[in-house]
Amino acid sequence: MYDKTISSAVIKRLPRYYRYLGELLENDVVRISSKELSEKMNVTASQIRQDLNNFGGFGQQGYGYNVEYLYTEIGKILGLDKKYNVIIIGAGNLGQALANYTDFERRGFYICGIFDVNPRLIGISIRGIEIRLIDELEEFMKTNTVNIAALTIPKAKAPQVAADLVSLGIHAIWNFAPTDLNLPKDVMVENVHLAESLMRLSYNLKAAEESGESI
Amino acid sequence: MYDKTISSAVIKRLPRYYRYLGELLENDVVRISSKELSEKMNVTASQIRQDLNNFGGFGQQGYGYNVEYLYTEIGKILGLDKKYNVIIIGAGNLGQALANYTDFERRGFYICGIFDVNPRLIGISIRGIEIRLIDELEEFMKTNTVNIAALTIPKAKAPQVAADLVSLGIHAIWNFAPTDLNLPKDVMVENVHLAESLMRLSYNLKAAEESGESI
DNA sequence: TAGATTGTTAATCGATTAACAATC
DNA sequence: TAGATTGTTAATCGATTAACAATC
């Protein structure tokens, strides 16, 4: 099947469409036009139509979009019609917080393993999932299907652990370590760099204060 | 002082420059050219020079950039030469994980308060910071300087709590709740939408699998 | 000085917005 | 049918890359 590559600008917006449509669905809204949605979301109607038409024609002239249908279709585009087994590497505060976050399951992401180097954490269970020693990872990967690995370990260890995961067959890494991972191009990496996010906030806070002063 | 507005594309890249320069500094690298840096970071040298020149000329022809100087200057641009007092609203797993994350202090972000609605959490201390009942927030805000509020509460409560924070004088919100906050434009909001990040990963995983099949 | 590399202008590329014919 | 709204092409805008004169 031929897929023209979709720009990452479009991909970044898809989950937000999905969220708004989910809320409309909860509120029993049956149909919505690109114009109405654009007003709710603070984007242009043109952009919504352009974005959607990268994937097909989901609307109907004169009517708009059926909310439930569009929600389902965007879900499929995002791969949310599948189940994913997720392991968490690093059972520190953040790793445990992710493991405790039940909302991911609603979207099809199931935590099936948590690993750490610290022997003291071994045996502790989070929502029924026992923390295992990292040494058991290889054996675990052989006997379980794992689709995604969340990396919540210190920066210094991240590149090596990521490379190990790839050699064990992982193709998707959700990286919380504050470093870039250079992996083969068939391995997808999604970064969550909290420190960088906080720096953008402080930049904007500072910039807003300065522009406020000058006027 | 007149500041032309810097595009958000540039702002997004600044923390990454800062990170790479910090690493160079740790490795005692004294100078670097835009070309060398571009190779390390996988961006064009042109983009680096364009980005930096939004803020001033930090380099020297024929020499390149002094690593320590550029690191410091980007830090200033990002507002990292200041100290920020941060409160965390929501002492669940994620809120506690943020409170435990000591690395933020290194950049000047100090957690000074943690609040929750759950009375059972009251009195628990995280790194010496006691969790307080949300009812105490107003009084706390009157007697303390707070620059940033991290919002780690459920989606349903986020808009109201955010509005309350703004009325108490907060101008910067680090929003982890999976919802958009519509606040006055002098209030800066930086979103961290983990579920959306995970959806982008599953999109890319799926897209990579499909393109792999077709070839 | 000669070589290197910046700062900056110009060219290109891609993404967003506008417009409108198609059509439900 | 008439009105509404899509899907899609064309126009605009902004961001990225290339080129090069300035200069250390």
Side-chain angles (χ1 to χ4, degrees), chain B residues 2-192:
Chain B
Y2 170 70
D3 275 304
K4 78 168 179 302
T5 304
I6 310 293
S7 90
S8 71
V10 174
I11 305 310
K12 284 209 190 83
R13 288 191 290 264
L14 284 182
R16 188 158 177 263
Y17 293 138
Y18 189 72
R19 173 155 55 83
Y20 274 83
L21 288 163
E23 280 170 17
L24 290 168
L25 199 56
E26 276 173 26
N27 296 326
D28 301 314
V29 177
V30 173
R31 62 166 281 272
I32 193 155
S33 69
S34 59
K35 182 157 183 291
E36 285 173 281
L37 187 57
S38 77
E39 283 158 7
K40 279 185 192 294
M41 296 185 65
N42 267 308
V43 296
T44 62
S46 227
Q47 182 166 74
I48 294 174
R49 295 204 299 278
Q50 286 277 25
D51 283 352
L52 296 179
N53 278 91
N54 280 298
F55 303 98
F58 302 117
Q60 197 170 332
Q61 282 98 328
Y63 173 84
Y65 299 87
N66 177 285
V67 172
E68 185 171 7
Y69 174 69
L70 187 55
Y71 177 78
T72 306
E73 289 303 308
I74 295 181
K76 283 185 202 165
I77 291 166
L78 289 168
L80 304 180
D81 53 337
K82 305 211 178 88
K83 305 261 174 263
Y84 298 90
N85 289 322
V86 180
I87 55 174
I88 294 172
I89 313 293
N93 292 293
L94 185 56
Q96 294 198 24
L98 292 182
N100 270 306
Y101 201 59
T102 53
D103 254 26
F104 297 139
E105 281 186 10
R106 217 158 42 87
R107 303 286 182 228
F109 300 94
Y110 294 87
I111 314 291
C112 64
I114 309 170
F115 296 85
D116 205 286
V117 288
N118 186 348
R120 281 195 231 170
L121 295 170
I122 308 315
I124 295 174
S125 277
I126 299 167
R127 298 203 295 121
I129 307 142
E130 207 179 310
I131 299 175
R132 292 180 163 85
L133 200 60
I134 191 86
D135 301 355
E136 293 176 36
L137 179 61
E138 188 168 349
E139 183 61 25
F140 186 90
M141 292 286 291
K142 280 180 193 160
T143 50
N144 293 271
T145 302
V146 180
N147 309 104
I148 296 172
L151 225 58
T152 53
I153 59 179
K155 163 183 162 174
K157 290 180 179 169
Q160 183 59 56
V161 172
D164 291 348
L165 285 163
V166 169
S167 73
L168 293 171
I170 278 283
H171 286 275
I173 293 182
W174 201 20
N175 177 41
F176 289 78
T179 187
D180 293 325
L181 302 174
N182 295 305
L183 299 171
K185 65 181 179 321
D186 64 332
V187 180
M188 302 299 117
V189 177
E190 170 75 21
N191 290 308
V192 179

